[in-house]
Amino acid sequence: MLKRRLFSLLLLTVCLIGQRASAQSTLELATGGTPRSFTPQALLARADAVEIHVPRDIAYGKPMSFRAVPLADLLGDTPLPEDGVLETRAADGFAAQLPTHLVRSRASADAVAWLAIEDPAHPWPALPGKTVSAGPFYLVWLGPKASAVRGEQWPYQIVRITIEASPVARWPSLAVDSALPADDPARAGQRLFVTQCLACHRIDGAGSSDAGPDLNTPMNPVEYFQPAALRRYIRNPASVRDWPGRVMPAFPPEQLSDVELDRIVAYLAYMARRKAGR
């Protein structure tokens, strides 16, 4: 009897694991009307699925080849609001905000978005420092302007894509005061924060990702880091403190310049002052 119960428990566990793996191998596209779900096999069988070569792959840090479909073709005739975004949700909670003007382009002179699909029969290699690959769905960019697309806009392990209003429209508390001068570093920092940081962090609850901690509640990093230490931590977290479960990546100068880093810190400082009513 005990053996039978143990066998039943083992069988149930295997089924649950299988269901979880199956769920993670499905992409939900909720971009208008009824949400659509795609398996890797269904996307790989599309007529527009082709082999592409990415000379500068962000996730793998080396040239890579993938079977992929143009994201614009997958979206089809879905109307994309001019000031909206595509939000890509990853299995780990990472939520990239991709401006619609960026993802709708099909021009060969621009950066063109492709959805790379991992063939279950031919798995991709594990990501550097990880035990999992970028699959089964990974957004990559090709074209002369692909190098200008920021690293946080190459989301991998995508499970859901939705059309949303701009982050500032969804969460007005993200915005700096309209009276702030146009050249104030905090204003530029706000734009960088939305692209670089909001994918993992909320600020005062604003945002949709829970991958990382809120960066203003209960405390803002500028309130417990010395300025030089905070800049060093953003540049390379492991150079300040490291632990086995750390997931925050480094942001080398080619991904985030010193000026841009200073602007993000200026935005964080602005948000800390506003929280304190100063």
Side-chain angles (χ1 to χ4, degrees), residues 173-176 186 189-190 193 203 263-272:
S173 62
L174 287 171
V176 298
Q190 172 200 306
F193 184 91
I203 191 159
R263 288 171 176 170
I264 289 176
V265 172
Y267 175 70
L268 290 172
Y270 172 89
M271 297 299 282

Side-chain angles (χ1 to χ4, degrees), residues 11-227:
L11 184 61
L12 176 61
T13 302
V14 170
C15 289
L16 289 174
I17 292 173
Q19 289 174 359
R20 182 179 179 186
S22 175
Q24 291 178 340
S25 296
T26 301
L27 174 68
E28 181 181 357
L29 197 62
T31 53
T34 303
R36 296 175 289 161
S37 293
F38 299 93
T39 63
Q41 293 87 344
L43 290 175
L44 290 168
R46 286 173 59 103
D48 55 359
V50 297
E51 195 78 14
I52 63 170
H53 180 69
V54 183
R56 179 180 170 271
D57 185 79
I58 295 298
Y60 284 99
K62 63 180 182 180
M64 291 289 292
S65 293
F66 303 103
R67 191 80 176 167
V69 298
L71 182 60
D73 287 357
L74 194 59
L75 295 173
D77 297 328
T78 302
L80 301 178
E82 288 291 335
D83 60 346
V85 297
L86 280 192
E87 181 179 273
T88 63
R89 172 75 63 168
D92 63 358
F94 184 94
Q97 310 292 323
L98 307 173
T100 54
H101 71 81
L102 189 63
V103 299
R104 67 156 54 96
S105 178
R106 301 171 186 261
S108 59
D110 293 335
V112 179
W114 290 77
L115 185 71
I117 306 112
E118 183 178 28
D119 186 344
H122 303 283
W124 297 339
L127 291 163
K130 297 181 182 291
T131 59
V132 295
S133 75
F137 308 104
Y138 171 31
L139 192 67
V140 302
W141 300 85
L142 292 179
K145 297 183 180 179
S147 61
V149 178
R150 293 187 174 274
E152 306 307 286
Q153 295 173 322
W154 293 63
Y156 54 80
Q157 294 184 340
I158 302 171
V159 296
R160 192 166 190 263
I161 300 177
T162 59
I163 296 177
E164 306 289 354
S166 72
V168 171
R170 291 172 74 187
W171 304 291
S173 62
L174 287 171
V176 298
D177 193 289
S178 59
L180 208 63
D183 60 351
D184 191 290
R187 186 174 294 283
Q190 172 200 306
R191 293 189 291 270
L192 285 164
F193 184 91
V194 167
T195 302
Q196 295 291 107
C197 310
L198 198 64
C200 288
H201 299 279
R202 298 181 186 229
I203 191 159
D204 287 333
S208 59
S209 177
D210 292 314
D214 192 298
L215 292 182
N216 208 34
T217 304
M219 291 186 72
N220 188 301
V222 302
E223 297 174 300
Y224 55 85
F225 269 117
Q226 292 293 326

